[in-house]
Amino acid sequence: MTARAADRARYDRATAALDAPFAIVDLDAFDANADDLLRRAGGKPVRVASKSVRCRALLERALARDGFAGIMSFTLAESLWLARSGFEDVLLAYPSADRAGYAELAGDPKLAAAVTVMVDDTAQLDLIDAARGGGREVVRVCLELDTSLRLLGGRVRIGALRSPLHSPAQVADLARAVTRRPGFRVVGVMGYEGHVAGVGDAVAGRPVRSRAVRLMQGAARRELAERRAAAVRAVRAVVPDLEFVNGGGTGSVQHTAAEDAVTEIAAGSGLYVPRLFDHYTSFSGRPAALFALPVVRRPGVGVVTVLGGGYPASGVAGPDRLPVPYLPPGLRYDGQEGPGEVQTPLLGSPADDLLIGDRVWFRHAKAGEVCERFDALHLVSGDRVTATVPTYRGEGRTFL
């Protein structure tokens, strides 16, 4: 029996009493992936990206391991909720325009001590000040460095359109602006190199593209390491007691950790290992988060239909943003239909061995987004469900 066949057998045994659709997390795989992230981080703490987990119980499980420290959140409302739930170090990875949230933050000493907000423009400071509503707590601020690789004098840009702060001087200027402003304190610098951390460099069947990606990423890592170090030096000249410098992501953990200027690594997708993280030369993980859909029809030879399945991931629309039928191996979408809102036909010879009521196991393209589709995760260890825990959705928390 192959490893995938063995996984399918134990997942089916563990969830035999459950009616699909439902989602699981394989705790054995989750823990192995956590160990691998820590190994690649080389002793630097790993901050867990909550958008890639979206389940408080599993955030707590990761943070209970030595080597993980703090959360990287994705909205201010989520940050405040997590802080009120007992998480003591929450870094908001994106600027916010949540005025009510800022009023709550500035008016509560516990929240103000636990939450750090992201800033890359003085206009964001203006918004926070206007939203304080009398709150006098000092707001902890992290400055975001643009990590994009710019070539040909800036005419070519590779990387996400995030912060406008590209040069060390620009980051230092904002640090000075924050320090001159009452009610704020710079505590960190962040840079997310998504063009390295989130782009696979070993795409099956595309050797030329894969080599081009590797060449690009090598150049990007070298350029960013030099520029990030200069930016951190410039900020430390303004803020000598800077608490942290955050960088990286699941696909770049070991490379970012090798930079002396970086003090902590961000990662989250590497805990679940969705399908977009299958194509890296630098690491391989174990799929930990899956969802099961029931077979409800057998339209003909080599075809079954499952209930649900239309769960595309964010990003540029394309086949790589779709969930992938995973177990049993060998099933594929009908090119005329794809995954549907209510039903999804699947083609392939394994369909003839599936009966009405059997499960097909899928992997989502991205990590935490699958939790927006399910209100609970069944935690599997070995061949049994050891617990069922709510996702953010299951706790009534849909932040975006």
Side-chain angles (χ1 to χ4, degrees):
M1 181 181 289
T2 66
R4 284 177 64 173
D7 281 342
R8 181 191 175 199
R10 68 187 181 87
Y11 296 154
D12 283 344
R13 286 196 301 272
T15 61
L18 302 176
D19 288 330
F22 56 79
I24 69 166
V25 168
D26 181 340
L27 292 180
D28 302 326
F30 182 94
D31 291 343
N33 292 334
D35 288 341
D36 186 63
L37 288 172
L38 295 176
R39 176 189 61 80
R40 292 197 287 137
K44 291 188 176 178
V46 176
R47 185 180 291 272
V48 184
S50 63
K51 78 178 182 64
S52 300
V53 179
R54 303 195 203 196
C55 171
R56 281 199 298 167
L58 290 174
L59 290 173
E60 290 168 352
R61 186 180 185 91
L63 289 169
R65 305 174 79 87
D66 289 340
F68 285 91
I71 289 177
M72 177 175 281
S73 57
F74 61 98
T75 75
L76 182 55
E78 179 212 14
S79 305
L80 301 176
W81 176 63
L82 290 173
R84 289 200 180 281
S85 300
F87 295 94
E88 297 179 347
D89 180 6
V90 182
L91 169 62
L92 175 58
Y94 308 88
S96 176
D98 181 353
R99 291 174 173 82
Y102 282 130
E104 187 177 356
L105 177 68
D108 188 313
K110 176 185 175 182
L111 298 180
V115 176
T116 301
V117 303
M118 194 63 61
V119 168
D120 57 34
D121 191 313
T122 55
Q124 294 154 352
L125 303 176
D126 295 338
L127 187 148
I128 296 170
D129 269 338
R132 283 179 179 271
R136 297 180 178 274
E137 296 300 322
V138 173
V139 174
R140 294 166 53 86
V141 167
C142 180
L143 310 178
E144 181 167 359
L145 171 70
D146 170 41
T147 65
S148 66
L149 176 64
R150 298 185 182 181
L151 304 172
L152 301 177
R155 293 191 295 276
V156 175
R157 174 195 177 105
I158 301 172
L161 290 165
R162 290 176 64 113
S163 170
L165 306 176
H166 187 77
S167 71
Q170 288 174 313
V171 184
D173 285 345
L174 184 56
R176 277 187 284 272
V178 176
T179 58
R180 289 194 296 263
R181 195 151 180 163
F184 296 93
R185 181 161 67 94
V186 175
V187 297
V189 173
M190 187 197 92
Y192 171 58
E193 54 269 38
H195 50 301
V196 179
V199 178
D201 63 350
V203 182
R206 304 189 69 179
V208 175
R209 173 179 168 79
S210 297
R211 177 168 173 75
V213 169
R214 288 194 291 273
L215 290 172
M216 175 276 290
Q217 290 180 340
R221 289 198 303 268
R222 291 189 293 272
E223 185 276 337
L224 178 59
E226 182 177 337
R227 181 162 52 88
R228 177 153 43 199
V232 172
R233 286 194 300 271
V235 172
R236 287 193 185 279
V238 180
V239 187
D241 57 346
L242 195 69
E243 294 178 16
F244 65 86
V245 177
N246 181 282
T250 288
S252 70
V253 170
Q254 67 274 28
H255 302 299
T256 308
E259 296 183 33
D260 291 338
V262 174
T263 66
E264 63 174 42
I265 310 299
S269 295
L271 294 168
Y272 286 173
V273 187
R275 63 170 294 198
L276 284 178
F277 286 85
D278 284 348
H279 309 298
Y280 287 79
T281 57
S282 60
F283 79 101
S284 61
R286 292 173 55 183
L290 301 95
F291 61 92
L293 302 180
V295 173
V296 292
R297 285 177 169 165
R298 292 170 50 89
V301 175
V303 186
V304 292
T305 301
V306 296
L307 184 69
Y311 311 151
S314 58
V316 178
D320 67 337
R321 299 290 142 168
L322 300 179
V324 61
Y326 181 59
L327 300 171
L331 294 172
R332 66 186 187 278
Y333 294 121
D334 179 348
Q336 300 300 310
E337 293 194 45
E341 179 183 10
V342 177
Q343 68 170 31
T344 297
L346 298 171
L347 314 180
S349 57
D352 293 329
D353 296 324
L354 292 170
L355 304 176
I356 300 295
D358 284 349
R359 290 85 177 272
V360 175
W361 295 88
F362 289 74
R363 295 172 64 200
H364 203 271
K366 298 184 78 172
E369 291 183 21
V370 69
C371 294
E372 299 299 336
R373 298 288 182 168
F374 296 92
D375 61 8
L377 297 173
H378 302 284
L379 306 184
V380 173
S381 182
D383 61 356
R384 64 191 184 93
V385 172
T386 59
T388 297
V389 296
T391 60
Y392 279 13
R393 171 180 167 171
E395 296 200 68
R397 304 289 176 166
T398 52
F399 295 108
L400 282 177

